[in-house]
Amino acid sequence: MARLFYFFCFLIFSQILLAQSPDFTVSSDNDLFCNPSSVSFTSTVSGSPVGYIWTFGNGAISNSKNPVVTYTSAGTFNVTLLVIYARNTSQVTKLITIHQAVTATIGLDRNFICTPGDINFTSSSSLASPSYEWSFGDGSAIQTTTNGNISHRFINMGAHDITMKVVSENGCSVTKTTSVTMAPITVSGSVSVASGCVPATTVLAASASIPNNSTVAGYEWDFNDGTPNTTTIGNAISHTYANTGSYRPNVKIITSEGCETILPYNPLAFGIPPTNHVASAQKDVICGSESAVFFANATNANGYFWDYGDGSTQYVTVNQVTNKYSTLGVKTITVTPDFNKCQGTPVTFDIEVVGVIAAFSYNNTCIGQNKFSFTNTSQGNLSTILWNFGDSSLGLNTRDVVHNFPTSGAFQTSLFVEDSISGCSDTYSATMFTAVPKLINKDTSICRLSKSTFKIENNLASSGTRYTWHVAGEVIGPLSDETLSLEVPKMGSFNNFVIIDRGVQYCNDTIYLGHPYVVR
């Protein structure tokens, strides 16, 4: 009877142990187990465990049910799971292998070409039997090789991103990138002497942007003067132009790959000194209101450089010029002819500017916006002075005047002066603007963040007028627009105004909004 009891106890205990068998599964990134690798352990334990003890073979331990462990070195590791039950423990051990990490390098013999051509790529890796996958970024198919050397022909202009992937037998990989550009070579050039007298010696130079590991095979120079082309290894050459004329030289640059490009230089022009030069003024004496008329002519001249004796100069390709003088007195004029900037003998002569030159300055007096002060700054003997204000008022003949214009409008104001001795007269005019500006806004009460528009009506403005807005608790500007729209940011009651800055000849205005403005 006792034996039968122990037999049944043994059977029951055996069934309990069978119901408490531990196990686990293992997975990693892409299930490749490449170093470094984050490995997930998932327990598949039967029964009702009360605890877990994991050892991972790399010195790490865990009490989690489903831990994640990072392996930072390659190798084979014993992973043991000890499962703790209420009355006993059970464990299971498995081997996992972390595969060696893959390292690789990528290189190429050049990264820039100027014409369709082959580029050689090299790569090395830490694998004994690697597999290389090449993508050349030009729409061609991916190529796979078992060694690190490959050549690819590029036929399309542009930048191409190159990707090389090395894959091990275990599926572990590493990717390296580089780039290749195919573009025409660029060339710039310079000329030391572009014009002057023959014989003229000039130095032509060229600078080329070419691919790495490439060279310029030669520079072929065409001087465009009938002399034979010259080929050099150097990028500069000296050449003498013996005959007058205009020339358009160029240089052809050829690289070791056979790329060619032609750089045309700006036109060169060389001449001889003009002869038989004569020059004069239409009149030796002119009134200050007149423009002086000058003539010059020289054999072979195609240009004339004028110095008008008043600090101004001018280069022209015609025989007649004019100049308006701003001061009275004797002026010494010098004109130099040239043929393709080869100068001839200058001619110098005088003229006299007599009589009067009319001028005035003005400013808004700020006492009234329509009241202006005029200061007569005319030159000469002012025998007669006459002001006309363009507003139907009577003219005045005093030297300086103060005048009240209508409150709104544009008025052409002129000053006529005359010298009774010379009989010369002159007139100077300027437009005066007057206005009574008004700041308007249809809103008296508005919700915060609503859009509100302020505008100045009946405004006196010019291109230089600026506005500084003091509205809705904000200061905005100075701006050039006489209308302002904004989303009102603050609540409160505001005294809105705008300051108008019209520059030095007019007074500033401060214009207020004529009704309450509340933001709620």
Side-chain angles (χ1 to χ4, degrees):
M1 190 67 180
R3 291 181 179 178
L4 185 59
F5 172 77
Y6 288 120
F7 176 73
F8 280 110
C9 288
F10 174 77
L11 288 177
I12 293 171
F13 184 72
S14 298
Q15 292 299 317
I16 292 174
L17 291 178
L18 290 174
Q20 296 176 343
S21 59
D23 201 1
F24 60 87
T25 60
V26 184
S27 64
S28 75
D29 302 333
N30 300 320
D31 287 330
L32 296 177
F33 295 92
C34 301
N35 182 46
S37 182
S38 179
V39 181
S40 299
F41 297 91
T42 304
S43 61
T44 56
V45 176
S46 59
S48 301
V50 296
Y52 304 86
I53 300 176
W54 295 84
T55 58
F56 301 104
N58 64 347
I61 60 175
S62 176
N63 299 116
S64 300
K65 179 180 179 181
N66 301 311
V68 177
V69 177
T70 298
Y71 287 85
T72 58
S73 60
T76 300
F77 301 90
N78 288 313
V79 179
T80 299
L81 169 61
L82 176 65
V83 182
I84 303 172
Y85 294 94
R87 295 184 178 180
N88 65 296
T89 62
S90 183
Q91 73 178 35
V92 60
T93 298
K94 294 184 179 182
L95 294 177
I96 66 167
T97 299
I98 305 299
H99 302 298
Q100 186 67 43
V102 181
T103 60
T105 61
I106 186 173
L108 67 170
D109 60 354
R110 51 185 176 163
N111 61 9
F112 184 100
I113 55 176
C114 54
T115 190
D118 296 328
I119 293 182
N120 299 314
F121 296 88
T122 60
S123 183
S124 61
S125 76
S126 58
L127 301 175
S129 301
S131 173
Y132 299 88
E133 296 178 1
W134 297 87
S135 174
F136 296 101
D138 59 357
S140 60
I142 293 177
Q143 298 186 44
T144 301
T145 63
T146 56
N147 63 70
N149 300 321
I150 191 171
S151 179
H152 183 75
R153 185 171 183 80
F154 292 89
I155 61 174
N156 298 321
M157 292 288 179
H160 306 286
D161 294 325
I162 315 302
T163 301
M164 184 277 297
K165 183 178 181 182
V166 180
V167 184
S168 70
E169 295 177 349
N170 300 311
C172 297
S173 65
V174 66
T175 300
K176 296 294 181 179
T177 61
T178 187
S179 63
V180 166
T181 299
M182 187 169 76
I185 61 176
T186 58
V187 184
S188 60
S190 64
V191 178
S192 64
V193 178
S195 59
C197 301
V198 294
T201 300
T202 186
V203 176
L204 305 177
S207 177
S209 172
I210 59 176
N212 292 339
N213 302 320
S214 177
T215 58
V216 174
Y219 299 83
E220 183 180 337
W221 308 90
D222 180 355
F223 303 108
N224 190 227
D225 63 350
T227 60
N229 289 5
T230 303
T231 299
T232 64
I233 299 300
N235 69 333
I237 190 170
S238 176
H239 182 73
T240 298
Y241 286 88
N243 300 314
T244 63
S246 296
Y247 307 97
R248 188 70 184 269
N250 66 72
V251 59
K252 179 192 291 184
I253 297 175
I254 306 169
T255 70
S256 55
E257 297 91 355
C259 296
E260 293 184 4
T261 190
I262 294 178
L263 170 67
Y265 290 91
N266 291 329
L268 313 181
F270 302 103
I272 58 176
T275 58
N276 304 318
H277 183 207
V278 293
S280 63
Q282 186 180 60
K283 294 193 298 184
D284 294 334
V285 179
I286 63 171
C287 291
S289 59
E290 296 181 85
S291 291
V293 180
F294 303 115
F295 304 95
N297 188 64
T299 303
N300 293 326
N302 58 9
Y304 300 88
F305 181 80
W306 290 88
D307 182 337
Y308 295 116
D310 61 352
S312 64
T313 60
Q314 186 179 20
Y315 182 83
V316 299
T317 58
V318 294
N319 298 96
Q320 178 179 316
V321 294
T322 61
N323 186 58
K324 181 70 168 66
Y325 288 94
S326 60
T327 59
L328 303 174
V330 175
K331 313 297 179 183
T332 300
I333 295 90
T334 301
V335 55
T336 305
D338 72 49
F339 177 22
N340 294 337
K341 300 298 175 67
C342 179
Q343 293 186 343
T345 302
V347 170
T348 299
F349 55 91
D350 293 338
I351 69 166
E352 185 176 7
V353 183
V354 300
V356 287
I357 296 177
F360 62 80
S361 63
Y362 62 93
N363 65 282
N364 187 236
T365 64
C366 298
I367 298 172
Q369 295 296 326
N370 61 331
K371 189 174 184 180
F372 284 78
S373 292
F374 295 91
T375 301
N376 189 334
T377 58
S378 301
Q379 302 174 47
N381 176 42
L382 307 183
S383 302
T384 301
I385 299 174
L386 181 62
W387 294 89
N388 188 322
F389 302 105
D391 59 357
S392 300
S393 64
L394 295 176
L396 299 178
N397 57 12
T398 58
R399 182 176 182 89
D400 302 321
V401 297
V402 176
H403 184 71
N404 290 308
F405 289 92
T407 57
S408 180
F411 309 95
Q412 186 175 30
T413 300
S414 63
L415 170 62
F416 172 83
V417 294
E418 184 179 26
D419 171 25
S420 61
I421 299 174
S422 65
C424 295
S425 63
D426 194 19
T427 301
Y428 176 78
S429 299
T431 302
M432 305 296 108
F433 298 93
T434 65
V436 181
K438 181 180 180 182
L439 178 61
I440 62 171
N441 187 309
K442 65 180 181 62
D443 301 316
T444 57
S445 180
I446 192 172
C447 294
R448 188 177 74 89
L449 300 182
S450 296
K451 192 169 185 178
S452 187
T453 299
F454 296 85
K455 184 178 181 180
I456 302 172
E457 285 189 344
N458 193 32
N459 187 32
L460 160 61
S462 65
S463 60
T465 302
R466 295 293 180 266
Y467 307 91
T468 302
W469 303 84
H470 296 254
V471 293
E474 301 289 313
V475 179
I476 303 171
L479 306 175
S480 59
D481 197 338
E482 60 185 16
T483 299
L484 175 69
S485 295
L486 76 161
E487 290 184 355
V488 182
K490 301 175 182 178
M491 293 188 295
S493 179
F494 301 101
N495 189 19
N496 298 316
F497 63 94
V498 60
I499 298 175
I500 306 175
D501 182 358
R502 300 189 179 95
V504 296
Q505 292 179 319
Y506 289 88
C507 291
N508 291 350
D509 266 340
T510 300
I511 311 299
Y512 286 86
L513 187 64
H515 58 74
Y517 187 85
V518 178
V519 183
R520 61 187 189 278

